[in-house]
Amino acid sequence: MIEPIKWKDNKIVFIDQTQLPAKLKYVRCWDIDVLCEAIKKLRIRGAPLIGVAVGLGYALAGINSKEKTFRGLKKDLDRASLKLRATRPTAVNLFWVLDRMEDKFKTLSRFKINAIKKAISREALDILEEDKKMCAAIGKNGAKLIKKGDVILTHCNAGILATAGQGTALSIIYEAKKQGKRFKVYADETRPLMQGSRLTMWELMQNHIDATLICDDMAASTIKNKGVTKIIVGADRIARNGDAANKIGTYGLAVLAKHHGIPFYIAAPSSTIDKDIRSGRDIPIEERDRDELIYTGSKQTAPVNSKVYNPAFDVTPHSLISSIITEKGIYEIKRFRGI
Ligand code: MRU
């Protein structure tokens, strides 16, 4: 299986996802500012993968520090953590991982500097390994919902490229295929940055899944005319009441699912649940650069001085979600209390 991020010789190696599907390009990164730029520009993206990346980034800042005392090292790590926290606001995994790395660091004050650096690298690698296990468990749990002949619609990319493992929503698809179930997948292209067409189609085809690309405004008629039986997507942050933020366009799909009487599932690791947030109203939604709507790739597709509204995520109210699938099980929304 392809690995979108790796830790090699105390450096981070990642796939530059902005180059896909044309080029599979790996970047070696030993600089925290390069990592921050990669996260902001979506070279590294997807909530769980962003979490793994910032954990490794924190470890990298430790390795790069020239400080010889615990206090000096703490200053360097705090500076790195602030930069990493400022990259993207919506995926809670980013903040959860940095909190965990900082908590780990605090327990290490009586150790020698080299031992501390090793221990924080170990913690970041543990997070990476745990993410792999969570993805596999989400797949196993969610595959129970897949029936022979299902037609599944997905949005954005919640697959191998968005995690350290086999994905969240797409992990269910890979597991169902492994179990010999036959089904079809429709992938939304996911405007404006095309994570569906560039990334989901690429990885589903690599893994021999029967997948068909549609553009976002074909979703309603595809559900109606092609007999879509369920919609499965990932999430960037889930509130205690089950409201879930995911890639812009997800909310519209949930409304369509309700209208057509088909289930709408969110698949995410429990690290995507923000226990500090009561409802979706409190989820910070990233607004991205206007140029993402003015240009499609390098081609200008709107007047340059158009007024632009470009939120990267929307919040699906829990009332439109059938169940949330995590590594711990399938939670019917009625029973979901931020588990
Ligand atoms: O802007 P992106 O590409 O980081 O957005 C990604 C998504 O919205 C995914 O659906 C979500 O992070 C879940 S990934 C397992």
Side-chain angles (χ1 to χ4, degrees):
M1 196 170 60
I2 204 145
E3 289 175 284
I5 206 158
K6 284 186 264 197
W7 181 246
K8 204 161 174 255
D9 306 328
N10 286 341
K11 313 255 178 314
I12 298 171
V13 179
F14 65 85
I15 294 176
D16 179 351
Q17 298 194 26
T18 61
Q19 306 280 322
L20 283 170
K23 250 191 244 158
L24 179 57
K25 184 180 166 206
Y26 287 89
V27 177
R28 249 163 83 83
C29 166
W30 52 90
D31 183 307
I32 190 85
D33 292 323
V34 173
L35 181 69
C36 288
E37 189 268 357
I39 297 171
K40 283 183 190 157
K41 291 269 163 67
L42 273 58
R43 302 184 199 287
I44 298 171
R45 36 69 51 203
L49 190 68
I50 294 171
V52 169
V54 297
L56 294 175
Y58 188 90
L60 188 66
I63 305 261
N64 288 344
S65 173
K66 305 258 179 315
E67 295 290 339
K68 299 275 181 283
T69 64
F70 182 80
R71 268 183 70 187
L73 181 57
K74 182 172 184 313
K75 262 197 202 151
D76 280 352
L77 288 174
D78 285 350
R79 205 172 305 126
S81 178
L82 276 179
K83 282 185 184 175
L84 291 163
R85 283 174 193 272
T87 51
R88 295 193 76 191
T90 304
V92 74
N93 312 56
L94 185 157
F95 305 97
W96 170 83
V97 166
L98 287 170
D99 289 349
R100 176 165 156 182
M101 295 300 292
E102 285 173 3
D103 287 348
K104 177 72 192 179
F105 176 71
K106 280 185 211 142
T107 66
L108 300 168
S109 57
R110 62 206 158 80
F111 293 97
K112 295 218 168 85
I113 292 296
N114 273 346
I116 297 176
K117 291 183 178 184
K118 270 201 189 124
I120 54 176
S121 306
R122 187 68 262 154
E123 188 73 6
L125 289 171
D126 284 352
I127 291 170
L128 185 151
E129 289 305 320
E130 287 165 26
D131 191 59
K132 283 188 189 168
K133 288 192 188 123
M134 283 197 280
C135 288
I138 291 169
K140 288 230 163 70
N141 289 332
K144 292 178 197 143
L145 298 167
I146 308 298
K147 296 194 186 72
K148 190 171 139 225
D150 261 342
V151 181
I152 302 161
L153 176 62
T154 191
H155 189 65
C156 193
N157 174 264
I160 295 165
L161 290 165
T163 63
Q166 60 179 42
T168 58
L170 299 191
S171 175
I172 295 170
I173 282 165
Y174 296 133
E175 177 61 29
K177 160 127 176 148
K178 208 163 95 190
Q179 294 176 3
K181 295 180 182 171
R182 293 186 59 176
F183 54 87
K184 283 185 197 307
V185 178
Y186 282 91
D188 271 355
E189 66 177 356
T190 316
R191 279 277 296 150
L193 297 178
M194 311 299 206
Q195 289 92 331
S197 53
R198 291 188 303 104
L199 309 177
T200 295
M201 276 309 284
W202 182 79
E203 70 160 87
L204 290 179
M205 289 170 72
Q206 293 260 321
N207 289 287
H208 313 289
I209 302 289
D210 179 353
T212 305
L213 175 66
I214 57 169
C215 70
D216 300 339
D217 39 14
M218 292 170 190
S221 67
T222 304
I223 293 170
K224 192 170 166 203
N225 299 330
K226 296 291 180 187
V228 171
T229 51
K230 43 188 60 112
I231 299 178
I232 313 178
V233 296
D236 282 76
R237 196 185 289 230
I238 302 173
R240 277 207 311 273
N241 70 348
D243 293 351
N246 190 49
K247 180 53 56 196
I248 192 75
T250 302
Y251 173 32
L253 292 180
V255 174
L256 288 175
K258 181 98 174 171
H259 178 77
H260 291 92
I262 57 171
F264 179 88
Y265 298 114
I266 295 277
S270 51
S271 51
T272 299
I273 301 164
D274 186 345
K275 297 211 170 74
D276 296 332
I277 280 191
R278 207 177 56 81
S279 84
R281 267 200 303 270
D282 302 324
I283 299 179
I285 298 294
E286 175 183 14
E287 283 199 34
R288 292 187 60 86
D289 199 284
R290 59 197 311 283
D291 280 359
E292 290 180 357
L293 292 198
I294 304 283
Y295 297 89
T296 303
S298 56
K299 191 172 169 29
Q300 187 189 328
T301 47
V304 268
N305 44 7
S306 305
K307 277 210 234 169
V308 168
Y309 172 50
N310 185 20
F313 301 95
D314 55 27
V315 175
T316 300
H318 62 276
S319 57
L320 296 177
I321 298 170
S322 311
S323 296
I324 294 180
I325 304 156
T326 79
E327 76 283 6
K328 297 181 183 165
I330 302 173
Y331 296 88
E332 250 187 87
I333 204 72
K334 281 175 257 163
R335 274 188 267 279
F336 182 83
R337 290 284 172 275
I339 45 155

